[in-house]
Amino acid sequence: MVRNYKLTLAYDGTEFAGWQVQPQHSTIQGALADAIARITGERLLPQGSGRTDAGVHALAQVASFAIESPIPAENLLVALNHTLPASIRAIRIEEAAPDFHARHSAKAKSYEYRIFRASICPPFVARYVHHHPFPLDEDAMLRAACFVIGKHDFTSFAAVDPERGKDGEEPDNMRTIYSSEWQREGDLLIYRVRGNGFLHHMVRNLVGTFLLVGKASIKPDCIPALLAARSRSETGPTAPASGLFLASVEY
Amino acid sequence: MVRNYKLTLAYDGTEFAGWQVQPQHSTIQGALADAIARITGERLLPQGSGRTDAGVHALAQVASFAIESPIPAENLLVALNHTLPASIRAIRIEEAAPDFHARHSAKAKSYEYRIFRASICPPFVARYVHHHPFPLDEDAMLRAACFVIGKHDFTSFAAVDPERGKDGEEPDNMRTIYSSEWQREGDLLIYRVRGNGFLHHMVRNLVGTFLLVGKASIKPDCIPALLAARSRSETGPTAPASGLFLASVEY
């Protein structure tokens, strides 16, 4: 009998080349596939809710996979944490409906982007933040963040991917953002965003653009025009991967 | 004119072969010497308050060094943090008396040892703790810790060093411990110890022995006899480096 599982993972992405398996590179998906194979003898490719890029972390990424092994779920969780490197932890596992798919079944996702504001960044924090100790108008950044709430074409904030749209079809870059805000927690300035889906580099490009707002290079109320332009060249640089966390996936 | 400096450093020791310079290895002392040379053109060996071993961290290690460069202290601090890797931070610098020496002038030191008790250790914490999710009698560990307070010969808790005492002289292993206790902070069980000095591996060997007490392999009131035995072979294994932090040095 084949059982389908929903697995929730946390990982420190610093030393991985991202989620997706790649030859010659250490990846989260690859490490998870290896661990499942070591435990069950079954070689398969677990599906993630989406790819995270090299250096991006996860508080709660979700993966799905189907195995024949009769190992009870709670034992599989323990075995995964014995087998995976300490930088990847299996934090929850549950049997899922046969048609559950971590990516196709996802209804919403939340990300966090952490900026460390104090002048000296403790070495125990440096891997998990973007250190930006220079002046920022944080109120302006919060005002700018509000403008992306709702249903928009996010082409201006998507990585320019030479492979997409090659067949002549326009990619569908419409996404709905349910919440988008900056919050201060001590020395951390955290961007939290929740939406029905995100384009490649979208959160980091939004953050890079909000940083331009914080530096007064652009005004908060320019965001609607940047969205309307549907051009990546108008928006800010991609913020560093180290500050980004996939926070949760909803089904 | 030569100025003598007292520099306070924090570091994540995970990827270093300890404090002391070694050929072919990345060390804290070596990285600091390289940074000072890059900034001032002066090649010297900064002195630490003591060596930390491979993988051991510091919240506030102290180093001393004398340079001729007239660079103001606050600029030197900024330049060091521009030059050092993010895993080492210069957190304070001050000009010191010409005879100040980070090791010889030290009056007391404090260490922390962090044990993570929950069943799953978050990947963002794993580098900075010893993960021990199994049952421990934490009250017994606290009772055991009290027995090392005071002036004792700590030979039983010192690394057996084949180089020491080679000249026929007995090494002086008397040290005075001012405080020694275990504290619970959420999922962390933290050993905090303050003394006038510590032998090589002494804190990790004390923790390894307190862990034997926690597992009921030995009783808390065996500690005085273990001290009196002056034999490393009677005490517990050296606890892993990842949990240990040099917390402060007093002058």
Side-chain angles (χ1 to χ4, degrees):
Chain A
M1 197 183 102
V2 172
R3 283 191 181 82
N4 196 26
Y5 284 101
K6 176 189 176 193
L7 173 68
T8 305
L9 296 165
Y11 48 83
D12 172 347
T14 311
E15 282 153 31
F16 292 95
W19 167 265
Q20 194 179 28
V21 279
Q22 291 178 53
Q24 319 295 333
H25 285 92
S26 184
T27 68
I28 316 290
Q29 189 182 33
L32 180 59
D34 290 349
I36 294 168
R38 285 254 287 281
I39 296 163
T40 66
E42 296 175 61
R43 173 54 66 182
L44 52 86
L45 202 57
Q47 296 301 310
S49 75
R51 303 170 189 176
T52 51
D53 283 322
V56 173
H57 316 292
L59 301 174
Q61 166 72 291
V62 174
S64 58
F65 58 90
I67 52 173
E68 292 187 15
S69 168
I71 182 171
E74 59 270 36
N75 296 12
L76 181 55
L77 189 75
V78 170
L80 282 169
N81 284 328
H82 269 283
T83 311
L84 288 165
S87 49
I88 306 177
R89 291 294 86 181
I91 56 179
R92 263 190 310 282
I93 192 164
E94 55 197 291
E95 208 179 319
D99 64 346
F100 176 79
H101 185 286
R103 188 170 75 254
H104 301 151
S105 309
K107 297 270 190 291
K109 277 189 193 178
S110 297
Y111 284 90
E112 277 186 26
Y113 194 94
R114 302 183 186 175
I115 298 179
F116 192 80
R117 300 288 292 130
S119 62
I120 299 174
C121 183
F124 319 105
V125 168
R127 294 161 69 92
Y128 311 117
V129 295
H130 167 42
H131 185 209
H132 188 92
F134 313 108
L136 287 175
D137 182 341
E138 298 181 8
D139 289 335
M141 292 168 72
L142 177 55
R143 288 199 303 281
C146 295
F147 284 109
V148 301
I149 296 171
K151 189 171 181 181
H152 304 284
D153 182 320
F154 281 95
T155 302
S156 298
F157 295 94
V160 177
D161 185 339
E163 292 302 308
R164 288 197 70 175
K166 253 195 174 168
D167 50 5
E169 266 188 75
E170 276 285 290
D172 176 11
N173 287 345
M174 295 299 289
R175 295 292 183 277
T176 301
I177 297 302
Y178 307 120
S179 64
S180 164
E181 60 181 334
W182 287 95
Q183 290 164 332
R184 253 290 193 171
E185 296 182 10
D187 286 329
L188 288 175
L189 177 65
I190 306 180
Y191 177 60
R192 291 194 168 93
V193 61
R194 177 172 169 267
N196 70 346
F198 292 85
L199 306 171
H200 188 210
H201 280 181
M202 180 169 146
V203 181
R204 289 163 64 191
N205 290 343
L206 284 167
V207 169
T209 304
F210 297 145
L211 281 168
L212 290 184
V213 171
K215 295 170 196 170
S217 301
I218 56 175
K219 287 192 158 51
D221 57 11
C222 291
I223 301 290
L226 292 176
L227 281 166
R230 300 183 67 247
S231 162
R232 175 71 189 99
S233 61
E234 313 275 317
T235 46
T238 306
S242 60
L244 186 62
F245 290 74
L246 173 55
S248 64
V249 188
E250 294 161 61
Y251 291 94
Chain B
M1 198 183 100
V2 172
R3 284 190 180 84
N4 196 26
Y5 284 100
K6 176 189 177 193
L7 172 69
T8 305
L9 295 164
Y11 48 84
D12 173 347
T14 311
E15 281 152 31
F16 292 95
W19 166 265
Q20 194 179 28
V21 279
Q22 290 179 54
Q24 319 296 333
H25 285 93
S26 184
T27 67
I28 316 290
Q29 189 182 33
L32 180 59
D34 289 349
I36 293 169
R38 285 254 288 279
I39 295 164
T40 66
E42 297 174 62
R43 174 54 65 180
L44 53 85
L45 202 57
Q47 296 302 309
S49 73
R51 302 170 190 175
T52 51
D53 282 323
V56 173
H57 316 291
L59 300 174
Q61 165 72 292
V62 174
S64 58
F65 58 89
I67 52 174
E68 293 186 17
S69 168
I71 182 171
E74 59 270 36
N75 296 11
L76 181 54
L77 188 77
V78 170
L80 282 169
N81 284 328
H82 268 284
T83 311
L84 288 165
S87 49
I88 307 176
R89 291 293 88 181
I91 56 180
R92 264 191 309 283
I93 193 165
E94 55 197 293
E95 209 178 320
D99 63 346
F100 175 80
H101 185 286
R103 187 170 76 255
H104 302 148
S105 308
K107 297 270 189 294
K109 275 189 195 179
S110 297
Y111 284 91
E112 278 187 25
Y113 194 94
R114 302 184 186 175
I115 297 179
F116 191 81
R117 300 288 292 126
S119 62
I120 298 174
C121 184
F124 319 105
V125 167
R127 295 160 69 91
Y128 311 117
V129 296
H130 168 40
H131 185 210
H132 188 92
F134 313 108
L136 287 175
D137 181 341
E138 298 181 10
D139 289 336
M141 293 168 73
L142 177 55
R143 289 199 302 281
C146 295
F147 284 108
V148 302
I149 296 171
K151 190 172 180 180
H152 303 284
D153 182 319
F154 281 95
T155 302
S156 298
F157 296 95
V160 178
D161 185 339
E163 293 301 309
R164 288 197 72 176
K166 252 195 175 166
D167 50 6
E169 267 188 74
E170 276 285 291
D172 176 10
N173 286 345
M174 297 297 290
R175 294 291 185 278
T176 301
I177 297 302
Y178 306 121
S179 64
S180 164
E181 60 181 335
W182 287 95
Q183 290 165 332
R184 253 291 192 168
E185 295 182 9
D187 286 328
L188 288 174
L189 177 64
I190 307 180
Y191 177 58
R192 292 195 168 92
V193 61
R194 177 171 169 267
N196 70 346
F198 292 85
L199 305 172
H200 189 209
H201 280 184
M202 180 169 147
V203 181
R204 290 164 61 191
N205 290 344
L206 284 167
V207 169
T209 305
F210 297 144
L211 281 168
L212 290 185
V213 172
K215 295 169 196 169
S217 302
I218 55 174
K219 288 192 157 53
D221 57 11
C222 292
I223 302 291
L226 292 175
L227 281 165
R230 302 184 66 246
S231 163
R232 175 72 188 99
S233 60
E234 312 275 317
T235 46
T238 307
S242 59
L244 186 61
F245 289 75
L246 172 56
S248 64
V249 188
E250 294 162 61
Y251 292 93

